[in-house]
Amino acid sequence: GMLTKIKEENKKLIIRNVNEVIFKDDIDENLLNGVLELIENVITIKSPPNLKDIISRKSKQVLSIEEELSSEEEINEEIGNIVSGVGGLVGKIVSRVLGSKDFSINIGSHLRVVYDGPLKVNDKLNIEVDGGVVKLSKGEPHLLAKCSYIGDLEINDNGISADGCYIKISYPDLNQLRVSVDGGKVEINEIKVNDLKIDMDGGLISLNVKCKDMVDITLDGGKVDGKVQFEDTTKARLNIDIDGGMGKIDVSIPKDFSVITSSRVDGGVARLPPNRAGNKGELIITANVDGGIVTINEI
């Protein structure tokens, strides 16, 4: 509908300076080709296969174009139901977190490889991101970093910090992982961490992790989603503290575990699994929500 209106008004569509652009598969190819002028300074574009050629030709300073669809419609429907039940305050929050998606990430116009080599292995890893993209997955210790300037990347014995870079890390399982994000995008995939702490001030985080002891997430105007699998443990904790952000996490809990939940909500929404008794261990889930939305589902 938006594309049709732009065409009728004899205008062009330009998309700049956002984290993610998602094109649905019901978009007409000819309509998009005639209306879309430019996509610039974007981290990720998700496109159905039939639109990828058009989008690629009209993209500039885009890190990746992925042939996959999103569950955004499902998320929006769920949020709509929540908002209708709790009023306008959460509606404004959702609009800020999901509607704008303008976390002011500047990728830089001339990314170049500044490091492509091994990393020193440590059971503790600290990652600090100020804009840009970080992708962390399990594997042999290796880092690929693309930055505008070599000074935008810093590597030490137990940490990596980056300013406006694209970073791809493979690393063995960790005892402790600390991630600090200020307006960036982070993906953590298929890695086991005993103790995970994420502190995010405006940004996007996607999780698919296994954990033993603790997952602690603090959001200030950001969005986190994904899956956490607790295993090889007898006592674990999941803490989420949200101030004007959104969290949606699927949690895998061992059988016969006790689940103990608690929440403090001020102008937001918290949906947590029901409490239950078990005899082999326990998972304690706490959520503090100050103007945001958190949903934790047991799978």
Side-chain angles (χ1 to χ4, degrees):
M2 179 187 69
L3 295 177
T4 300
K5 188 173 186 296
I6 292 173
K7 182 180 180 181
E8 290 173 350
E9 294 176 354
N10 198 28
K11 295 180 180 180
K12 294 290 185 180
L13 174 63
I14 297 175
I15 302 170
R16 282 195 178 104
N17 305 325
V18 294
N19 283 351
E20 185 176 67
V21 182
I22 301 171
F23 289 88
K24 298 297 184 179
D25 58 359
D26 59 354
I27 294 176
D28 180 83
E29 296 179 41
N30 294 327
L31 177 60
L32 181 66
N33 188 46
V35 169
L36 180 61
E37 179 78 12
L38 175 68
I39 306 176
E40 183 178 26
N41 196 28
V42 171
I43 292 175
T44 302
I45 298 175
K46 295 185 178 180
S47 165
N50 62 311
L51 301 179
K52 189 173 181 181
D53 288 344
I54 297 171
I55 292 167
S56 297
R57 285 189 281 106
K58 303 196 178 191
S59 296
K60 179 182 178 183
Q61 298 177 35
V62 173
L63 288 184
S64 65
I65 301 177
E66 302 174 0
E67 286 190 8
E68 61 178 298
L69 299 178
S70 168
S71 58
E72 193 84 2
E73 291 175 341
E74 178 184 345
I75 294 173
N76 286 341
E77 181 180 354
E78 177 182 350
I79 291 171
N81 293 335
I82 294 173
V83 172
S84 65
V86 300
L89 175 60
V90 176
K92 293 178 182 178
I93 294 163
V94 172
S95 176
R96 178 162 71 89
V97 175
L98 288 184
S100 61
K101 292 185 178 178
D102 56 350
F103 298 115
S104 300
I105 297 176
N106 187 1
I107 300 172
S109 57
H110 301 288
L111 292 184
R112 58 189 179 91
V113 176
V114 297
Y115 187 86
D116 186 1
L119 289 171
K120 183 178 179 179
V121 176
N122 197 316
D123 68 344
K124 299 179 181 179
L125 180 63
N126 298 322
I127 300 174
E128 296 184 5
V129 183
D130 185 2
V133 179
V134 173
K135 296 188 176 184
L136 171 63
S137 59
K138 185 173 179 177
E140 295 298 318
H142 184 272
L143 168 65
L144 169 65
K146 297 180 181 181
C147 306
S148 296
Y149 306 98
I150 192 169
D152 293 337
L153 176 71
E154 182 178 342
I155 307 171
N156 53 48
D157 287 345
N158 64 345
I160 299 167
S161 63
D163 184 358
C165 300
Y166 173 87
I167 292 178
K168 187 175 182 180
I169 305 168
S170 59
Y171 212 82
D173 292 337
L174 285 157
N175 178 50
Q176 185 182 91
L177 176 61
R178 299 287 183 262
V179 181
S180 177
V181 183
D182 185 1
K185 179 178 180 181
V186 175
E187 296 180 8
I188 304 174
N189 191 40
E190 297 293 341
I191 194 167
K192 183 177 179 180
V193 182
N194 291 339
D195 184 354
L196 171 63
K197 181 174 178 59
I198 297 172
D199 190 351
M200 180 167 59
D201 183 6
L204 303 173
I205 288 187
S206 176
L207 295 176
N208 183 9
V209 297
K210 297 178 181 179
C211 188
K212 180 179 179 182
D213 299 322
M214 168 76 78
V215 175
D216 191 342
I217 301 172
T218 301
L219 303 179
D220 185 0
K223 178 183 176 184
V224 60
D225 61 18
K227 176 183 176 182
V228 177
Q229 180 178 345
F230 288 96
E231 59 178 24
D232 301 329
T233 183
T234 56
K235 189 171 184 178
R237 293 187 66 97
L238 171 61
N239 298 329
I240 299 184
D241 194 333
I242 292 182
D243 183 2
M246 177 179 175
K248 184 178 181 182
I249 299 176
D250 294 330
V251 180
S252 176
I253 306 172
K255 293 181 179 180
D256 298 323
F257 253 50
S258 296
V259 176
I260 304 169
T261 68
S262 64
S263 63
R264 181 194 63 80
V265 179
D266 183 8
V269 176
R271 289 181 169 179
L272 307 180
N275 292 309
R276 70 166 187 254
N279 55 20
K280 290 187 177 180
E282 69 177 23
L283 172 64
I284 299 174
I285 301 174
T286 59
N288 296 312
V289 182
D290 184 8
I293 298 174
V294 59
T295 302
I296 300 176
N297 298 314
E298 182 178 358
I299 58 173

